[in-house]
Amino acid sequence: MSARENILRRVRSALEVSSASQARRAQDVHAMLSGHARAPMPQMDWDLIERFKERCIELSSTVDEAASLDEVPRAVAKYVQSNALPPAACCWQAYAGLPWKESGLDAAFRPANADDKTGITGCYCAIAETGTLMTLSGEASPLTNSLLPDTHVAIVPRARIVRSMEDAWDLLRGEHGKMPRQVSFISGPSRTADIEMTMVLGIHGPYRVHIILV
C-alpha cells in the first residue's frame, strides 16, 4: 500500500466512511436529483439551432456551418487563414480521422500547450437558450484545448443542441452513470470588465471562439 493510499485509508477510518455508507450516500444523491422537480421555465418555442446561433453571435463568437464532419477541416482552414493564424492546431483525438492534411492544416491530436495558437474541440452538448457549450473532462477530451490557445474552434453537432441548461444536465445524468471530474460551460470568448467596467476579451482564456455546426 502506498503512502497516499495509507493516508486515505486512515482518513476514511477516522470518518467511519465504509463502502456501504458511500453507496448509500450515492443512492441518496441520485434519489434527490431524480426526484427534484424543475422550477418554472420561460416559454422556449424558438428554433433550437437558430436560437443557438443568435446567442453565440451576441456573445462575440463566430459561427460557420459544415454539411458533414469531412467538411470541417476545410472550414477550419478557411477560418485560420482569414484570421492570419498559423496553419496548425491541436485537436481532440476523436477527429483524427478527418482530412486535415488535405485541407492544408497541420493538426496534432493531443492536449494543448502554451505554444498552440488554435485549439479544436467538440462538445458534450450545446445549450440554445444561452449559446453555451458544455464539455466534460476526460482523457479523450482535454480541456486545455479550449482554454490555452488564443483561438478555440468548437465542432458542434446540430443533434446535440438542447433547449436549456436543465436539459443539458438531464442529458448528462441519463447518458453517464458517473459524473466526470469536471463539467465546463463556455459562453463565447473569455472576458472581464473588472477594470473601469470596460469589457476586454481574452484575459483568462481564448479571445476568439469559432463555432462550426455540423
Side-chain angles (χ1 to χ4, degrees):
M1 181 179 294
S2 67
R4 179 176 181 276
E5 290 169 339
N6 188 40
I7 291 171
L8 291 175
R9 182 186 62 78
R10 290 164 60 188
V11 170
R12 291 192 192 98
S13 177
L15 294 173
E16 296 182 347
V17 178
S18 65
S19 298
S21 65
Q22 285 181 314
R24 281 197 301 273
R25 289 182 186 182
Q27 288 175 353
D28 290 344
V29 170
H30 180 74
M32 183 189 71
L33 292 174
S34 59
H36 182 72
R38 283 192 181 190
M41 301 281 286
Q43 186 172 352
M44 297 183 181
D45 54 359
W46 19 256
D47 179 88
L48 281 182
I49 295 173
E50 291 304 315
R51 168 73 178 197
F52 177 70
K53 288 161 59 177
E54 289 169 6
R55 291 296 290 141
C56 285
I57 292 169
E58 288 171 7
L59 291 166
S60 305
S61 296
T62 50
V63 180
D64 195 4
E65 299 192 53
S68 68
L69 268 179
D70 282 344
E71 295 292 324
V72 167
R74 189 159 53 184
V76 177
K78 182 180 73 174
Y79 175 77
V80 164
Q81 186 176 24
S82 67
N83 285 279
L85 292 166
C90 56
C91 183
W92 282 6
Q93 184 67 36
Y95 303 109
L98 301 185
W100 299 102
K101 192 172 293 184
E102 294 84 341
S103 302
L105 200 67
D106 182 15
F109 306 100
R110 55 167 173 72
N113 60 49
D115 295 327
D116 289 311
K117 303 301 181 189
T118 301
I120 301 172
T121 76
C123 68
Y124 176 68
C125 69
I127 301 167
E129 182 183 12
T130 57
T132 299
L133 307 176
M134 183 179 188
T135 62
L136 313 181
S137 63
E139 188 175 349
S141 54
L143 297 179
T144 52
N145 293 42
S146 62
L147 294 172
L148 280 180
D150 290 339
T151 300
H152 173 205
V153 177
I155 302 167
V156 179
R158 293 179 178 87
R160 298 295 291 185
I161 298 177
V162 299
R163 197 164 296 277
S164 65
M165 180 76 75
E166 288 84 349
D167 288 341
W169 284 114
D170 283 349
L171 187 67
L172 179 59
R173 292 186 188 110
E175 292 184 342
H176 285 254
K178 186 178 180 182
M179 293 293 283
R181 186 179 186 202
Q182 184 174 336
V183 178
S184 297
F185 296 97
I186 302 168
S187 299
S190 163
R191 68 194 65 206
T192 183
D194 286 350
I195 302 174
E196 297 182 345
M197 299 297 289
T198 300
M199 187 66 72
V200 181
L201 299 182
I203 295 297
H204 306 298
Y207 65 87
R208 293 192 194 97
V209 173
H210 185 58
I211 308 290
I212 299 180
L213 290 171
V214 182

